[in-house]
Amino acid sequence: MTLSLPASRTPDRDDAPPIRWGVLAPGGIARDWTAAVHATTASRVVAVGSRAQDRAQAFADEFGVDRAYGSYEQLVGDDGIDAVYVASPHSEHRDHALLALAAGKPVLVEKAFTRNAAEAAAVIDAARAANLLVVEAMWTRFLPHLDVVRQCLENGLLGEVKAVIADHGQHLYPDGPQRMSDPALAGGALLDLGIYPVSFAHLALGGFDRVQAFGTIATTGVDEGETIGVVSASGAVGTLSTTMAAHSACLASVIGTEARVDVDSWFYRPNTVRLFDGDDVELDRYEPPARTHGLAYQAAEFARLLADGRTESDLMPLDETLRIMQVLDEVRAQLGVRYPGEPG
């Protein structure tokens, strides 16, 4: 029998119910996310909050947003929004998510979810206590091509999974965004770039029993790059790498005893999935319906969850978000990277 890839089960983005979003912190990722939401979903950003009124107003003017606030407290207090998208630096995610939850607002929190696992647990506990929806904005988890990979794992199409390989490198240091090299903003390669291969492998292997990391530290004290070896409970291995000092191929593979799947370059974006047999013959491939506005899939899923009265996503469960943050903590501990204010 010839193996073939399953069809993606991911619903169309424009079929999700409309909700009214408030954007907290109008930076670069917020701009990309808002453009995607407006282009391909029924939802709209209706309010934006910044520490500076002029920044909020400029964002509102660019995207046709109704209300611009010069404080985050005003934004989360707006009764005309259904949910808050937290797009501030990693260092602020806990406080901003807690601020929104305290105001009774469901929250989509940019990845990495927080600086560390203790902060993640605080947000998760607050959300569960308030019975409010919170989702980590690990956008890859919601893309159609990753559902194809997920089904390959669920259906045993690959046989017994033995290995995962994934990498993500971008040339963002030393001449890139200042936040990447700033310990106070929880900078470094791991939380911004390395989380993609870690999250991919965590899904493919069902978690890690052992983690071993080797890396390079930038002059500012953040991690410049690392290679992370992981082992699952079944004995499958993963080789994961990231760097903010150079551009890498950004490929991902899941390798089983019967077959493997490869995801093309920039594996974490809408992408092609290829199925190979043990003789390296390509048996099938999946092409995504569109390679644009991939950030909208997570917003559409959030809207569906909110309409259904759910408090977390099966595609990115909160307990898994917490376990991934624990892995990132372990990697940083092995490398000797600590952010200001973290316990020694």
Side-chain angles (χ1 to χ4, degrees):
M1 181 179 66
T2 302
L3 300 178
S4 61
L5 292 170
S8 178
R9 302 166 296 189
T10 305
D12 289 340
R13 294 163 289 187
D14 55 7
D15 288 341
I19 65 172
R20 301 167 300 176
W21 285 98
V23 167
L24 190 155
I29 187 62
R31 295 181 72 258
D32 293 343
W33 182 87
T34 299
V37 169
H38 285 184
T40 57
T41 79
S43 296
R44 287 295 178 270
V45 174
V46 300
V48 57
S50 173
R51 289 195 177 101
Q53 179 67 44
D54 58 342
R55 288 191 69 215
Q57 191 59 58
F59 186 93
D61 292 343
E62 181 178 0
F63 292 102
V65 174
D66 297 337
R67 299 179 294 283
Y69 296 112
S71 78
Y72 300 140
E73 290 78 9
Q74 287 177 295
L75 173 72
V76 302
D78 186 333
D79 292 333
I81 61 175
D82 302 310
V84 172
Y85 169 55
V86 171
S88 50
H90 311 306
S91 55
E92 312 303 314
H93 285 180
R94 176 195 59 185
D95 290 349
H96 292 160
L98 291 175
L99 181 71
L101 290 168
K105 298 298 194 296
V107 190
L108 177 66
V109 185
E110 253 309 322
K111 58 82 196 159
F113 192 67
T114 50
R115 292 190 307 172
N116 53 50
E119 292 183 352
V123 174
I124 292 168
D125 289 347
R128 287 174 170 165
N131 199 36
L132 289 169
L133 174 64
V134 169
V135 178
E136 178 187 358
M138 171 44 71
W139 63 301
T140 309
R141 289 293 184 103
F142 307 97
L143 297 177
H145 80 282
L146 202 74
D147 184 63
V148 173
V149 175
R150 186 181 288 110
Q151 289 184 75
C152 290
L153 298 167
E154 293 171 349
N155 301 336
L157 183 69
L158 309 180
E160 184 180 356
V161 173
K162 290 296 186 180
V164 175
I165 301 170
D167 78 282
H168 183 199
Q170 293 191 45
H171 201 170
L172 301 174
Y173 172 83
D175 299 321
Q178 183 268 341
R179 66 176 181 84
M180 293 294 296
S181 58
D182 190 344
L185 298 178
L190 184 64
L191 265 61
D192 209 273
L193 307 177
I195 190 172
Y196 286 107
V198 170
S199 184
F200 180 87
H202 202 274
L203 172 68
L205 298 179
F208 313 140
D209 266 17
R210 285 179 285 159
V211 176
Q212 183 68 57
F214 303 90
T216 301
I217 308 304
T219 57
T220 60
V222 301
D223 60 298
E224 180 182 304
E226 49 268 315
T227 293
I228 307 165
V230 299
V231 182
S232 74
S234 68
V237 298
T239 305
L240 319 173
S241 61
T242 187
T243 178
M244 63 179 185
H247 173 66
S248 71
C250 298
L251 300 168
S253 297
V254 184
I255 303 153
T257 54
E258 301 298 324
R260 81 171 194 270
V261 286
D262 291 353
V263 186
D264 282 3
S265 185
W266 302 101
F267 72 89
Y268 55 89
R269 299 178 179 179
N271 220 319
T272 300
V273 178
R274 304 172 193 270
L275 177 68
F276 293 88
D277 67 12
D279 295 320
D280 209 33
V281 174
E282 184 174 334
L283 303 177
D284 197 10
R285 73 173 61 177
Y286 165 83
E287 295 287 356
R291 295 176 184 266
T292 58
H293 300 300
L295 290 168
Y297 283 99
Q298 62 187 346
E301 172 68 2
F302 192 100
R304 284 188 289 268
L305 294 169
L306 192 61
D308 290 343
R310 299 282 304 280
T311 56
E312 63 180 288
S313 170
D314 293 334
L315 302 179
M316 190 68 252
L318 292 175
D319 286 344
E320 187 175 7
T321 286
L322 180 58
R323 289 194 297 271
I324 289 171
M325 289 307 311
Q326 291 167 342
V327 171
L328 302 184
D329 282 359
E330 176 61 23
V331 171
R332 288 198 295 116
Q334 291 184 20
L335 299 179
V337 173
R338 184 183 305 146
Y339 301 129
E342 288 188 310

